[in-house]
Amino acid sequence: MRRVSPMASFALLALPLAAQQHKATQAEVDRITRDAILIDTHDDVTSRTVEGYDIATPNKSGQTDLARMNGFLGAEFFAVYVGPEYVNGNHSANRALQMIDTVRTDIIAAYPNDFVFATTASDIVRAHNQHKIAALMGIEGGHAIEDSLRLLRDYYALGVRYMTLTHFNTNNWADSQGDIDKPGIAHHNGLTSFGKDVVREMNRLGMMVDISHTADKTFWDALETSSAPIIASHSGCRAVSSYTRNMTDEMVKALAAKGGVVQISFGCDFLSQRYFDGATPLQASMRDQYMAATLKIEDPAAKSAAIEKLRAEFTSKVPPATLADVVAQIDHAVKVGGVDHVGIGTDFDGVGCVPPDLDSYNKFPALTRALLEKGYSAEDIKKIYGGNLLRVMRAVEQRARELRSTPAIQSDIAKK
């Protein structure tokens, strides 16, 4: 047997961890990525498909299209995004139903060879085994229920499996991070009593409670009220980027302690302090130009060209976040909350900037390789990519079974 000298052993130990690790081949990286059930808990391409975009055609200004989804993506939670503007005139439910329909009609029914309608963890696993993409839905913006638990139950019946309690706007029962410091907005100090009933009814139904976009106090109230694990469908760590949509370490730890997951967003401001610090003042200074291009230019081609020119100018001044920033966010969340409590919620087609080296699902092998080189095992990566979210879904489904004999909550916000 060949003996290694003490000095040689010392030199080996002195090598960085990455240098000692097995360098995976591209075939191995692709296999790990494909074997994992990659679940993205937030994609906003629905805001395009509802306006007529065909998901099977190239998405030249966004991140989501069928060609890039096929291959590595296992399941997609399509955003049933209801903008705050729909509160005016009480049109939120109408918009929510349109968004549900675009998922079921323009995506699933239009491409049945690629997508399969899913509502449970078992459905996702079944779709993966069939080499199809499981298509699920999550409502973004609790105002979509128009203060009615009956509407909440209707959305569940139509297939919605999580709801973000707020968007950027505080609603009638939950405070939002987006306007928590805005003068003139009436706040509730978290969740109202009706808001807590919303969370309880979501538990009873088997709908995941999502706290991305909520104010910090709303998060704590939801965590205390929910009898099932909760999620942050598209967030990050505030210790890495101080963007207020991100979670503090204390919040990540508490979420993990109750079995939940933080799904890391790929939005540049979520990922990078450098980007957030540079982009915030520049966005303010260029807002009028963007508004003029959006509202005053009627010709679609001219409008698109003007917006792309502004985007190029913005990027030249503030370079986007990178793959390394994604790894740093994931790594911090794992160190704080544990590898069983971190996942992926890209926010593709819902943010203005994502890392160019991780700007769609076909580039996930690059993230797989980066995580392997960081020291993560294939099993760790499978947990982060989807295994952790499946566990939460199963726990939420189990809690609903336990509450099956419990009568539906008939709470009325007007009487609270």
Side-chain angles (χ1 to χ4, degrees):
M1 183 176 72
R2 180 176 179 270
R3 296 186 180 275
V4 180
S5 72
M7 288 302 294
S9 297
F10 178 81
L12 179 62
L13 290 172
L15 286 172
L17 178 62
Q20 299 179 45
Q21 291 170 347
H22 166 68
K23 292 293 185 180
T25 66
Q26 190 60 48
E28 288 176 300
V29 169
D30 289 350
R31 176 182 54 76
I32 291 170
T33 313
R34 193 173 292 111
D35 287 348
I37 304 180
L38 176 58
I39 303 173
D40 180 12
T41 48
H42 199 83
D43 187 296
D44 276 296
V45 73
T46 41
S47 292
R48 294 173 182 249
T49 60
V50 77
E51 299 297 331
Y53 166 64
D54 183 344
I55 200 168
T57 61
N59 186 349
K60 296 180 180 179
S61 60
Q63 298 83 45
T64 312
D65 54 44
L66 187 54
R68 290 183 288 177
M69 297 172 89
N70 274 324
F72 297 111
L73 182 63
E76 185 69 87
F77 278 82
F78 289 102
V80 176
Y81 167 56
V82 180
E85 67 272 17
Y86 290 98
V87 173
N88 300 324
N90 217 33
H91 296 302
S92 297
N94 179 284
R95 182 60 172 182
L97 291 173
Q98 290 184 36
M99 297 297 283
I100 289 169
D101 182 72
T102 196
V103 176
R104 299 191 63 156
T105 300
D106 303 323
I107 297 175
I108 301 170
Y111 296 99
N113 293 328
D114 301 285
F115 296 102
V116 59
F117 179 61
T119 59
T120 67
S122 294
D123 288 344
I124 292 175
V125 174
R126 190 176 304 112
H128 179 72
N129 292 336
Q130 295 171 351
H131 305 292
K132 290 188 176 184
I133 301 168
L136 302 97
M137 293 179 286
I139 287 178
E140 185 175 25
H143 54 279
I145 70 169
E146 295 187 357
D147 307 332
S148 169
L149 296 182
R150 295 190 186 280
L151 280 183
L152 177 68
R153 291 190 283 271
D154 286 340
Y155 294 142
Y156 179 84
L158 289 170
V160 172
R161 287 301 178 266
Y162 79 68
M163 183 170 72
T164 319
L165 299 182
T166 69
H167 192 242
F168 280 113
N169 55 309
T170 289
N171 56 45
N172 291 329
W173 44 270
D175 288 339
S176 167
Q177 191 71 45
D179 61 12
I180 196 65
D181 296 321
K182 189 174 181 179
I185 302 294
H187 292 106
H188 317 290
N189 190 32
L191 284 176
T192 67
S193 58
F194 178 81
K196 292 175 182 178
D197 280 344
V198 171
V199 170
R200 295 184 186 105
E201 187 66 354
M202 291 173 73
N203 290 163
R204 194 190 69 83
L205 291 169
M207 185 185 292
M208 291 183 288
V209 176
D210 174 27
I211 55 78
S212 288
H213 281 288
T214 65
D216 289 0
K217 182 58 164 58
T218 306
F219 161 80
W220 290 111
D221 286 353
L223 189 70
E224 180 182 9
T225 303
S226 180
S227 58
I230 70 175
I231 68 170
S233 69
H234 54 305
S235 294
C237 299
R238 213 175 290 176
V240 180
S241 170
S242 59
Y243 183 37
T244 56
R245 281 282 319 285
N246 283 342
M247 302 172 68
T248 66
D249 285 0
E250 184 184 11
M251 294 165 75
V252 173
K253 288 177 184 176
L255 183 78
K258 291 197 70 171
V261 288
V262 53
Q263 304 286 107
I264 301 300
S265 169
F266 288 6
C268 292
D269 40 8
F270 291 84
L271 294 171
S272 164
Q273 187 69 49
R274 171 196 59 77
Y275 182 88
F276 178 63
D277 289 343
T280 302
L282 187 58
Q283 285 168 346
S285 68
M286 295 182 69
R287 183 172 290 117
D288 289 345
Q289 293 171 271
Y290 272 104
M291 293 299 291
T294 303
L295 300 176
K296 295 182 179 180
I297 301 177
E298 295 184 2
D299 179 68
K303 178 184 293 190
S304 179
I307 291 173
E308 285 304 311
K309 183 178 179 180
L310 288 170
R311 284 177 176 168
E313 179 184 347
F314 189 97
T315 300
S316 69
K317 295 178 179 178
V318 185
T322 65
L323 170 63
D325 292 317
V326 177
V327 174
Q329 273 284 353
I330 291 173
D331 197 49
H332 185 83
V334 167
K335 288 175 179 174
V336 172
V339 74
D340 294 319
H341 302 283
V342 183
I344 302 294
T346 64
D347 211 355
F348 281 161
D349 282 277
V351 288
C353 171
V354 298
D357 41 0
L358 196 55
D359 63 358
S360 196
Y361 303 102
N362 61 328
K363 293 188 178 179
F364 262 81
L367 178 58
T368 302
R369 180 179 294 281
L371 290 172
L372 287 170
E373 292 178 352
K374 190 76 175 177
Y376 288 84
S377 69
E379 289 307 310
D380 292 335
I381 294 168
K382 289 177 182 179
K383 287 181 179 182
I384 293 166
Y385 280 8
N388 294 334
L389 196 280
L390 287 174
R391 174 186 50 77
V392 170
M393 288 185 70
R394 291 185 180 112
V396 170
E397 292 163 12
Q398 175 59 31
R399 184 58 182 146
R401 286 191 290 269
E402 294 166 356
L403 295 171
R404 186 171 292 159
S405 61
T406 305
I409 299 175
Q410 302 296 347
S411 186
D412 185 341
I413 193 170
K415 297 178 182 178
K416 288 286 184 176

